[in-house]
Structures are given as structure tokens and as C-alpha cells.
Amino acid sequence: MPEPTVLYVLNGPNLNLLGAREPDIYGHETLADVQALCERAADGAAVVFRQTNHEGELVDQVQEAREKASALIINAAGYTHTSVALLDALKTLAIPIVEVHLSNPAARERFRHRSYVSPVAAGVVSGFGSFSYELAVKAALKLARERSQERAGAAGRSV
């Protein structure tokens, strides 16, 4: 029997202020709206949705995903551009990672052009507002299910 698909959606600093903080950049939807969108897009997969303003807590959540998740979707927010500790934690994952952003960092300030998440991510979805999350969930779900099928096939061949 296939293992259940569990998607971790982790969000970094200030995303708890969605809808109120710079709505011209990040939109008017709240983080609760984004969570509901992710859960609808998950096609029956379990969604663990979290937000933290603390770098170490985000690292802890990534380490938890290492043991419990089928795939990880991460909007590290400001830590995307600054956190080597987060990169090191992400490097320990053997599951698909999808980087997501509401805005397009490449079209913003120069310091946002560098991502410490991108080198370990299967892909990046950005610039589509909350729809970026829906696309990221669909991509992560596809990658997780493909990985599960490959593992099942490999297990069947080794019997």
C-alpha cells in the first residue's frame, strides 16, 4: 500500500502580516487564505502549513520535514537571501523542495536576487501572488508522487 503524501508548506518572517503588509507587492490575501488555497490544491494529500519569524525555528521545521514530509514547499521570505543555516538544513533533505514567492524577487531590489534556497530546490515559483502557492503545491505533489512510484518500483524489483 502506498505511503500517504504529506506536503510541508513552510513560511518565513513577516508572512503572518500578509494582507496588511505592502499589499501592492504581496496582495490582499491573508496567510490563512493562502493556507486554504494550498489545502484545496493538495488533491487529498495532507498539508502541514506553518509560519515563523525565527530562523532557528524554521531550521527546526525543515529538519522535521526531513523525517515526516513527502515534499517541502518553502517561502523563506527574507531568510531566502541571508540564511546559510537554512541552506545547510535544506541540504539534508532527500525529498523534493519547491521554492515559492508571492512576488518576483528577480524584479525587485538587488539583494533579493540571491537565493540560498534555489541551489537545492527542484524549482522556483514566483511572481504570481497567492497563485504561486497553488502552482508550487501542484509541482511538489507531482514530484512527491513520482518519487513514491519510483521507490515502489525499485522495491518491487529488489524482491
Side-chain angles (χ1 to χ4, degrees):
M1 184 162 86
E3 59 191 54
T5 303
V6 179
L7 302 179
Y8 267 50
V9 182
L10 302 182
N11 298 278
N14 298 310
L15 288 167
N16 56 307
L17 299 176
L18 281 182
R21 178 179 169 246
E22 299 181 274
D24 53 317
I25 295 173
Y26 301 111
H28 294 279
E29 292 177 291
T30 66
L31 194 59
D33 296 331
V34 172
Q35 180 176 353
L37 182 151
C38 289
E39 290 168 351
R40 283 191 307 273
D43 191 32
V47 175
V48 175
F49 192 95
R50 297 196 181 135
Q51 186 276 329
T52 182
N53 291 320
H54 306 283
E55 183 178 20
E57 188 174 336
L58 188 58
V59 168
D60 289 343
Q61 291 171 1
V62 168
Q63 290 178 2
E64 179 183 316
R66 184 174 176 260
E67 300 297 325
K68 297 182 178 179
S70 308
L72 172 69
I73 298 144
I74 184 164
N75 181 345
Y79 295 137
T80 301
H81 319 292
T82 63
S83 182
V84 173
L86 181 60
L87 170 62
D88 288 346
L90 291 167
K91 283 180 172 181
T92 71
L93 300 182
I95 58 173
I97 300 167
V98 177
E99 181 179 355
V100 64
H101 299 283
L102 295 158
S103 68
N104 179 359
R108 297 187 59 200
E109 303 94 337
R110 186 171 187 80
F111 71 88
R112 295 186 197 276
H113 297 183
R114 164 101 192 221
S115 169
Y116 284 95
V117 176
S118 291
V120 294
V124 180
V125 182
S126 66
F128 300 105
S130 61
F131 187 55
S132 292
Y133 277 83
E134 182 175 343
L135 295 169
V137 165
K138 290 181 182 299
L141 193 57
K142 180 180 186 305
L143 293 171
R145 288 183 173 159
E146 287 173 352
R147 181 175 179 265
S148 179
Q149 289 172 349
E150 288 170 6
R151 290 173 62 189
R157 288 188 298 274
S158 66
V159 173

